[in-house]
């Protein structure tokens, strides 16, 4: 009898333990996935930055999303995510600095059609991760999860999607190259279609013909617009029902007689070129340096800046100064914006070399320690003690201030940062 009671007690304890484990798993029900793009993301014991940091998530790591704590529904000052990583549970703050990419299941099924000439399906939501498969133009994929965070990848704005390919491989693609539809049937019936695009192409050899759009169809015409060894701005991507990709390219000049007049634009080129006849890039600087510049250091710098900033810069109007400071190697870059227009006469644009970057060499790459711009110009003083940058700005023409006045802001290198030292009006 006594042995029977002992066995019953053991069964009771085992049953309680099973209930506890089951209950614990229910508490940590997953509602989505997360991924870090920066190193050492702190995980707090409570949804409060003053609470204890339990652990840190390394760069390029995934974790589980358990719950979202919205500041609209609570008294918290920020939105927070309750997460689980390696059987540890805590809270991370919901920031919009791309440190955390949050992937949540879609409310209803969605599908995507590949609009790129080819697109890598990657193991993680970053361009450095392993390529699982190369998707082809007009391949249809199932969208499983999507990150609401809009980010810039090589100068193109979009968000990462977790998808399933026809091969059943699951991975991540970047959204600008995907046309979204509610069903596979809708996407399958798409004939020729056009999507927005931004970037640049280089044409090595002058084509004998180009294409124009008539009645929503591309028609071949003799080429009187496109020259060889030239760069053109990309406005859109056109995909035919056969899966061929074309880019609409433009070249234009503008002028403005005075501040209050309209800008007049003269179109020099506006046509469609097949993808295989051009070299394409999201950013002008990386494309230009690849074609025109033989110096390896300059190529590295322009490739880095193309990924680091969202706008286009012009390597053809750029100066690079180098200096050493406290055993570190630095580079000062004075450059200017690259606009769609080949020229804009009288458009009150900034002078050449009005943007400044200071890069610190870091292994095989760089770190941006200073970035600024003025409406006039920028002066580099790498051999001053300490090194300095002067940003020159003038008031806008339509204001009450004298547009001929120049305000000069001086920055000096203090420690590992450039610090504002004062303004002088000339």
């Amino acid at each position: 009898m006594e042995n029977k009671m002992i066995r019953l007690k053991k069964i009771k304890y085992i049953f309680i333990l099973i209930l506890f484990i089951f209950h614990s798993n229910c508490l940590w029900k997953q509602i989505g996935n997360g991924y870090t793009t920066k190193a050492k993301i702190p995980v707090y014991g409570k949804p409060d930055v003053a609470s204890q940091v339990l652990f840190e998530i390394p760069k390029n790591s995934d974790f589980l999303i358990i719950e979202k704590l919205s500041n609209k529904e609570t008294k918290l000052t920020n939105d927070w995510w309750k997460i689980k990583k390696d059987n540890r549970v805590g809270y991370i703050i919901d920031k919009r600095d791309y440190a955390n990419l949050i992937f949540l299941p879609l409310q209803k099924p969605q599908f995507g059609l590949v609009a790129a000439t080819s697109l890598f399906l990657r193991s993680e939501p970053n361009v450095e991760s392993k390529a699982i498969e190369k998707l082809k133009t007009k391949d249809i994929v199932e969208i499983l999860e999507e990150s609401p965070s809009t980010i810039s990848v090589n100068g193109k704005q979009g968000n990462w999607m977790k998808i399933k390919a026809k091969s059943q491989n699951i991975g991540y693609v970047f959204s600008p190259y995907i046309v979204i539809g509610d069903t596979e049937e809708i996407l399958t019936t798409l004939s020729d279609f056009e999507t927005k695009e931004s970037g640049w192409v280089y044409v090595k050899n002058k084509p004998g013909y180009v294409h124009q759009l008539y009645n929503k169809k591309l028609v071949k015409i003799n080429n009187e617009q496109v020259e060889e060894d030239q760069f053109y701005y990309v406005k859109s991507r056109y995909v035919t029902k056969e899966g061929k990709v074309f880019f609409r390219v433009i070249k234009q000049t503008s002028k403005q007689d005075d501040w209050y007049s309209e800008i007049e634009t003269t179109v020099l080129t506006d046509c469609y070129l097949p993808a295989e006849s051009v070299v394409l890039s999201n950013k002008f600087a990386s494309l230009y340096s690849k074609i025109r510049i033989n110096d390896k250091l300059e190529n590295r710098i322009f490739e880095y800046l193309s990924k680091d900033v969202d706008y286009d810069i012009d390597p053809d109007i750029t100066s690079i100064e180098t200096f050493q400071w406290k055993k570190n190697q630095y580079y000062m870059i004075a450059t200017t914006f690259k606009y769609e227009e080949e020229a804009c006469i009288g458009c009150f644009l900034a002078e050449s070399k009005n943007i400044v970057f200071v890069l610190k060499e870091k292994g095989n790459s760089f770190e941006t320690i200073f970035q600024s711009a003025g409406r006039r110009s920028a002066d580099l003083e790498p051999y001053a003690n300490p090194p300095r940058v002067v940003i020159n700005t003038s008031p806008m023409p339509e204001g009450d201030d004298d547009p001929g006045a120049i305000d000069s802001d001086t920055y000096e290198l203090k420690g590992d940062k450039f610090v504002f030292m004062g303004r002088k009006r000339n």
Side-chain angles (χ1 to χ4, degrees), residues 210 212 221-227 230-233 248-254 264-271 340-345:
V210 296
Q212 291 285 8
I221 63 172
N222 290 330
N223 175 31
E224 297 178 354
Q225 304 182 55
V226 177
E227 300 295 331
Q230 293 292 315
F231 298 90
Y232 296 87
Y233 184 74
R248 181 188 173 194
V249 301
I250 66 166
K251 184 171 284 193
Q252 58 192 29
T253 61
S254 299
E264 299 178 9
T265 300
T266 301
V267 177
L268 307 174
T269 301
D270 189 352
C271 62
E340 294 180 24
E341 291 85 3
E342 285 294 290
C344 194
I345 303 168

Side-chain angles (χ1 to χ4, degrees), residues 99-117:
N100 305 313
L101 296 178
I102 306 300
F103 292 87
L104 301 176
L106 303 179
Q107 296 292 325
K108 61 179 182 178
Q110 278 193 327
F111 297 85
L113 182 143
V114 177
T117 50

Side-chain angles (χ1 to χ4, degrees), residues 359-377:
L359 310 182
K360 177 183 176 182
E361 197 158 34
K362 195 172 183 180
N364 294 324
S365 187
F366 307 96
E367 176 187 359
T368 304
I369 66 167
F370 180 77
Q371 176 183 342
S372 188
R375 281 195 294 272
R376 290 295 289 264
S377 61

Side-chain angles (χ1 to χ4, degrees), residues 331-348:
Y331 302 92
M332 284 185 173
I333 299 101
T335 185
T336 193
F337 291 104
K338 175 64 177 176
Y339 296 95
E340 294 180 24
E341 291 85 3
E342 285 294 290
C344 194
I345 303 168
C347 293
F348 299 96

